[in-house]
Amino acid sequence: MRLQKFFSDCGVLSRRAAEDEIAKGNVRVNGEVARVGDSVDPETDVVEYKGKRILPRAQAPHRYILLNKPRGYVTTVKDEKGRRTVIDLVRGVGTRIYPVGRLDMDSEGMLLLTDDGELTNLLTHPRHEIPKIYHVTLSSLPTDLQLAALASPMTLDGYVLQPVTVRQLSPDTLEMHLYEGRNRQIRRMCEAVGLRVKLLRRVAIGDLTLGELPTGKWRELTETEVEYLKNPTRKG
């Protein structure tokens, strides 16, 4: 197998990017600096990129990343309009990962990214048991009627939304718990009752929080956190 195809199959670099890195001398095969055009046997050869061994996809463990997304980035791998994407913020991960669900460009806060398709499907399924928790700052003070309407059954585009838990944190700030993620759901719910969102921040996914993670930075999830996301009802 061509070395650049090996990198692509492993989800580390595109073929073109791998070829550039090989040409720069950043790739070694069995301890020797590789050259453009070299081939490898994924089963027996040891491939290293910048000192780190690259494993075939079947052997490589999944990656689970928690990003504190800033506003101004779109939640996609590639944007046709040339806007900044969340992938630009996790370039150092070293493998191809994908956002779990969406957080719109004007929103900020917790976003998970992974190459584990099974977990992605689990977390984005409407019946998943882990709520996504948001702090919502409004441009005006909500009335009791507006708060009651947000917590009541609501329909968007003919779709009946799952119940949303609403708690008032301060006169102009709400905490909302969602178990699904329709497109711009919170903003559209607020608009439907006559409120406008000034700031929307996802602060947690179930028991998983941002902690002290600065805006624009990311970290790996711990094994305990991954196990929680896969089995939220399991304790200890």
Side-chain angles (χ1 to χ4, degrees), residues 102-139:
R102 286 187 173 276
L103 199 57
D104 68 57
M105 188 172 71
D106 296 324
S107 300
E108 60 184 49
M110 180 183 291
L111 181 69
L112 301 180
L113 301 98
T114 185
D115 57 359
D116 186 341
E118 184 176 345
L119 180 62
T120 296
N121 291 335
L122 180 66
L123 292 176
T124 54
H125 194 283
R127 295 186 181 277
H128 191 54
E129 299 173 340
I130 300 180
K132 299 177 181 67
I133 303 170
Y134 299 81
H135 285 177
V136 187
T137 303
L138 303 168
S139 60

Side-chain angles (χ1 to χ4, degrees), residues 7 98 120 155 195 197:
F7 271 89
Y98 304 88
T120 296
T155 301
L195 295 170
V197 173

Side-chain angles (χ1 to χ4, degrees), residues 65-70 89-90 108-113 201-203 208-221 225:
I65 301 300
L66 187 158
L67 170 69
N68 188 350
K69 175 192 173 300
L89 297 169
V90 295
E108 60 184 49
M110 180 183 291
L111 181 69
L112 301 180
L113 301 98
R201 178 173 177 79
R202 184 190 288 163
V203 297
L208 190 62
T209 66
L210 286 167
E212 300 299 320
L213 187 66
T215 300
K217 300 299 183 181
W218 60 270
R219 68 170 177 83
E220 302 266 4
L221 292 185
E225 289 170 333

Side-chain angles (χ1 to χ4, degrees), residues 38-165:
D38 284 355
S39 296
V40 293
D41 183 340
E43 299 297 325
T44 59
D45 288 329
V46 176
V47 180
E48 295 175 294
Y49 172 48
K50 293 184 177 179
K52 180 179 179 181
R53 184 172 181 182
I54 305 302
L55 296 173
R57 176 70 77 177
Q59 301 176 29
H62 287 301
R63 303 292 298 277
Y64 304 94
I65 301 300
L66 187 158
L67 170 69
N68 188 350
K69 175 192 173 300
R71 284 181 284 179
Y73 287 79
V74 291
T75 305
T76 185
V77 173
K78 189 175 182 180
D79 184 63
E80 58 197 22
K81 298 179 180 178
R83 295 172 296 183
R84 297 176 297 179
T85 79
V86 292
I87 299 301
D88 295 327
L89 297 169
V90 295
R91 293 294 183 191
V93 171
T95 189
R96 291 182 182 178
I97 54 176
Y98 304 88
V100 178
R102 286 187 173 276
L103 199 57
D104 68 57
M105 188 172 71
D106 296 324
S107 300
E108 60 184 49
M110 180 183 291
L111 181 69
L112 301 180
L113 301 98
T114 185
D115 57 359
D116 186 341
E118 184 176 345
L119 180 62
T120 296
N121 291 335
L122 180 66
L123 292 176
T124 54
H125 194 283
R127 295 186 181 277
H128 191 54
E129 299 173 340
I130 300 180
K132 299 177 181 67
I133 303 170
Y134 299 81
H135 285 177
V136 187
T137 303
L138 303 168
S139 60
S140 60
L141 303 185
T143 66
D144 290 341
L145 285 176
Q146 288 171 320
L147 292 174
L150 287 174
S152 299
M154 187 177 292
T155 301
L156 290 179
D157 298 331
Y159 177 86
V160 180
L161 300 174
Q162 291 192 37
V164 175
T165 301

